[in-house]
Amino acid sequence: MIVTGEKRWWRLALTVDGSTLTRTWKRVLATTALALITTFIWEVFDLHHLKLTVTPFSLIGVAISIFLGFRNNASYDRYWEARKLWGRMVNVSRTWARQVRTLIVAPEGADDTEKAEVEALQRTLIERQVAYVHGFRLHLRREERWEELGAWLDDDELTRLKTESNRPSAISHVTGELVANAWRRGWIHPMHVPVLEGSLTEITGIQGGCERILATPVPFVYNVLMHRIVGLYCVFLPFGLVGTMHWATPFAVAGIAYAFYGLDSIGDEIEEPFGRDPNDLPITFLSRMIEVNLRQRNNDPQLPGMHRAVAGILD
């Protein structure tokens, strides 16, 4: 995600990094070059009798604008839904840490050994949620750096995770088993078990929502159609403008191509919100924020620093 405090219109209008121009400049340049060649041939060889009317381009342009707007709205809905799901993940993780600390307690009359076991379990359950969040991030980005979880999971569990098709779910499953075992030992009141289970269920629901977005992209045929229509429109546009704009045609084509290619590119960039494009969600930042918040509940004296933006981009 691009983060900047810059609000001045002219600075935003002239910025290049993070804009659609970094993705579309080759297409815009090629289309402008074609318009320049078309204009040169039309003017130099006096082909004034060969021209198209601008009317069909006006009609098609309106239709393309409507469909591009619809597609970009669909892509942004996916982006915003993903952000809301990660917002819920932040909240439920904090809630989980509070519930673990307040609802899992040693029974009255427990000796120091049992109290130490309860304290260790509390720390473990909170640390496992940290591991889950980072594992969930790796899962969504299809990254295999699972050794990163070694700070919170033991080697045996990391080895078992390699055989799992859904590793975050496997982490959550073991957490549920620990909660069940604590209930059997009398460390959790029977009325509090559904509360803890409800948090684990919500975590699973959030994961399912993100996986739905990940596994269901905007229909391929729709993307292909939009790319083709926009490309053909920009390629043939010089033939419709050259009869009225003459040598100004390449400039007009460059501006229109930049607008249409840019709108087309926006949908592509935000369609998959969990990636590493400059405008994707900063789930590394969100994961680190959850980690810091939860480790504070464990009174961890060595907290990591918050993830910071690099060159204005928050990963």
Side-chain angles (χ1 to χ4, degrees), residues 23 71 223 227 264-272 277:
R23 298 168 62 100
R71 174 175 172 269
N223 280 333
H227 291 342
D264 192 28
S265 177
I266 289 174
D268 287 341
E269 180 148 348
I270 65 175
E271 177 185 350
E272 300 294 343
D277 289 332

Side-chain angles (χ1 to χ4, degrees), residues 10-11 13 38 41 60 81 128 214 217 241 290 313:
W10 67 274
R11 290 291 299 272
T38 301
I41 294 174
I60 295 174
E81 176 65 18
R128 290 190 64 83
L214 187 67
L241 297 180
I290 293 173
I313 297 178

